[in-house]
Amino acid sequence: MSGHEEGGGHGHGHGHGGHGQGHGHGHGKQGDGPARDRHGNPEDLAAYLAKLEDPARVAWQKPDEVVVALGLSPGGVACDVGVGPGYFALRMARAVGPGGRVHAIDAEPRMLELLRSRAAEAGLANVYPLLATDGQAVPPEPVDVILVVNTFHHFPDGPAYLRTLAARLRPGGRIVNVDFHAGELPVGPPPDHKVSREDFLAAAARAGLAVAEERTFLPYQYLVALAPRP
């Protein structure tokens, strides 16, 4: 799963998060769309990355504001599930500083290699790529924040994986999910590849999580912070 796509299109379990605008999953062709790999991402990685990193995306994805909303502090520990090439992870790494760590999970080895290169180029030694090989990769230590962007629809069992991730939170920690609102939008995946806010919150409730905070500054997406119910 490569999350962070502009839409959807990451692997199952943990995608590589383009946090982008992916469209769909599946193998081979989807209608007249591009050929896709086993994670649901286009096989043409260069074209896929171009979509994920379209400069126009900054205007609606608001990555800097999203990272501020995570409330990270210097020395903190965070995790990005579906990290892709690091659209959010590199920003998170700067927020926690050299004394902190960002665990970066993805199911696509090519994405993690690209992430390693970008982190090195940016002088960030606190990003730790982690390949999801079993569909249930988790950060190797307790974390303050787990970010999931445009990736939840790839989890084979959403409530179960949320429960697994929640077990890796530090006391007071949160899972933050960013995903597209239902219906047709100018960006993002087709409507049938979306998980609506209502469906996501129902899955979170089944995982024993409650809404701790919600932000509404994103034009096409919801941002919900979850915490384990007492």
Side-chain angles (χ1 to χ4, degrees):
M1 65 177 139
S2 243
H4 309 253
E5 317 159 52
E6 290 176 42
H10 355 290
H12 303 280
H14 332 298
H16 33 144
H19 300 265
Q21 201 178 295
H23 309 345
H25 351 267
H27 306 272
K29 299 274 187 183
Q30 285 197 29
D32 296 323
R36 296 185 178 275
D37 64 18
R38 64 190 180 89
H39 303 301
N41 295 305
E43 291 178 351
D44 184 341
L45 187 61
Y48 179 60
L49 287 171
K51 183 177 292 292
L52 294 186
E53 301 182 333
D54 182 343
R57 183 183 173 195
V58 172
W60 59 264
Q61 187 70 87
K62 301 183 184 296
D64 293 326
E65 291 180 50
V66 169
V67 171
V68 168
L70 300 181
L72 298 171
S73 301
V77 182
C79 178
D80 185 346
V81 177
V83 64
Y87 192 79
F88 286 96
L90 299 182
R91 290 173 167 90
M92 294 163 69
R94 294 185 182 96
V96 299
R101 292 175 295 285
V102 175
H103 298 288
I105 296 174
D106 207 285
E108 171 53 67
R110 294 177 299 172
M111 286 289 185
L112 294 181
E113 283 302 315
L114 183 57
L115 173 63
R116 286 188 185 93
S117 298
R118 291 186 173 182
E121 290 169 5
L124 297 168
N126 58 346
V127 178
Y128 298 87
L130 176 61
L131 182 65
T133 56
D134 61 358
Q136 289 289 289
V138 296
E141 63 178 318
V143 300
D144 300 301
V145 175
I146 297 173
L147 177 65
V148 182
V149 179
N150 308 337
T151 301
F152 185 78
H153 65 284
H154 285 294
F155 300 162
D157 186 334
Y161 190 39
L162 287 175
R163 197 175 300 115
T164 299
L165 290 172
R168 304 302 291 162
L169 291 173
R170 287 176 168 176
R174 296 178 176 184
I175 295 173
V176 175
N177 184 60
V178 178
D179 222 321
F180 289 90
H181 289 297
E184 292 284 354
L185 296 171
V187 297
D192 61 347
H193 289 156
K194 295 181 183 180
V195 178
S196 70
R197 174 182 173 277
E198 293 71 25
D199 287 347
F200 173 73
L201 292 180
R206 292 197 296 275
L209 299 167
V211 176
E213 184 180 14
E214 187 164 4
R215 300 290 186 93
T216 58
F217 61 83
L218 294 171
Y220 306 123
Q221 297 169 300
Y222 53 92
L223 186 159
V224 181
L226 305 170
R229 286 199 297 262

